[in-house]
Amino acid sequence: MLPFLKRTITDPILRLLTQGISVQEIALSLAVGTVLGIFPSLGWTVLLCLVAASAFGLNLTAMQTANFAAYPLQLLLLIPFYRLGEILFRAGKSSWTLAQIVALIHTSIPQAIKVLWVVTIHAIAVWAVLAGPLIFFIYLLLKPILQSAADVANRRLGSASGRPATSGELAARPTSLAPKQVPGEW
């Protein structure tokens, strides 16, 4: 499992840090991607990340990496978002479980939309209230972590010349994190 997480989450983020993209942009892109990744309606997060990256000039690779990593969290938070929506809107308490929701979606998507419409709208309202503060908190949490990782990468890549590498040199220099090119592939 760890090699899978390294290959799909850690390595893409480290590659971004060595391509001249600012730590702030990567941290913000990861924060927004994570919060969009827990959107309480299944099947929308990739599209939401694409729209947000286009609208706000964020890094789509970082956002989709965070979105992918947040998927288990999305499933874990679906029912709590439903419950908080019921409280916020003083709606009757539903007895949905995650297993029932997934089974309903697998049985009939139109029926699932019809049955879950109101509870999902309430959950989205809760998510919308929490999204801004969550993005801010995650950004503040990630920024120093990413800065440390960028400093380590900078020292490692700059050590060949005896001085820290500039961001232009980092972007131009191939790294061990870059995908291996096979002759004849593009």
Side-chain angles (χ1 to χ4, degrees):
M1 180 76 160
L2 288 178
F4 172 75
L5 293 176
K6 182 180 181 314
R7 187 179 72 247
T8 58
I9 297 170
T10 307
D11 286 352
I13 294 168
L14 290 174
R15 271 195 300 274
L16 290 172
L17 288 170
T18 61
Q19 293 176 353
I21 302 168
S22 74
V23 168
Q24 293 81 4
E25 181 183 346
I26 296 170
L28 183 58
S29 298
L30 289 170
V32 172
T34 300
V35 172
L36 291 176
I38 62 168
F39 185 73
S41 183
L42 301 176
W44 291 96
T45 60
V46 171
L47 181 61
L48 290 173
C49 285
L50 181 61
V51 169
S54 297
F56 301 113
L58 298 173
N59 187 285
L60 185 59
T61 301
M63 290 183 70
Q64 293 295 19
T65 300
N67 176 28
F68 172 76
Y71 182 68
L73 195 55
Q74 180 190 29
L75 294 176
L76 288 172
L77 292 174
L78 192 61
I79 299 300
F81 275 130
Y82 281 5
R83 297 293 176 257
L84 288 171
E86 292 166 355
I87 293 167
L88 181 66
F89 290 96
R90 299 176 188 193
K93 186 172 191 239
S94 65
S95 58
W96 289 103
T97 65
L98 184 58
Q100 291 171 327
I101 293 168
V102 171
L104 181 61
I105 291 169
H106 282 293
T107 303
S108 170
I109 291 175
Q111 182 65 21
I113 292 170
K114 182 179 176 185
V115 171
L116 298 172
W117 179 255
V118 173
V119 71
T120 300
I121 294 298
H122 292 170
I124 291 170
V126 170
W127 172 86
V129 168
L130 297 175
L134 279 173
I135 289 169
F136 182 70
F137 175 74
I138 294 168
Y139 173 81
L140 290 179
L141 182 70
L142 288 176
K143 191 176 167 193
I145 295 168
L146 292 172
Q147 186 61 60
S148 294
D151 291 345
V152 168
N154 189 6
R155 281 193 301 275
R156 184 182 58 166
L157 294 173
S159 65
S161 65
R163 61 171 175 71
T166 66
S167 61
E169 290 172 330
L170 289 174
R173 192 176 292 173
T175 70
S176 61
L177 300 173
K180 303 284 188 246
Q181 284 286 345
V182 177
E185 282 190 351
W186 52 282

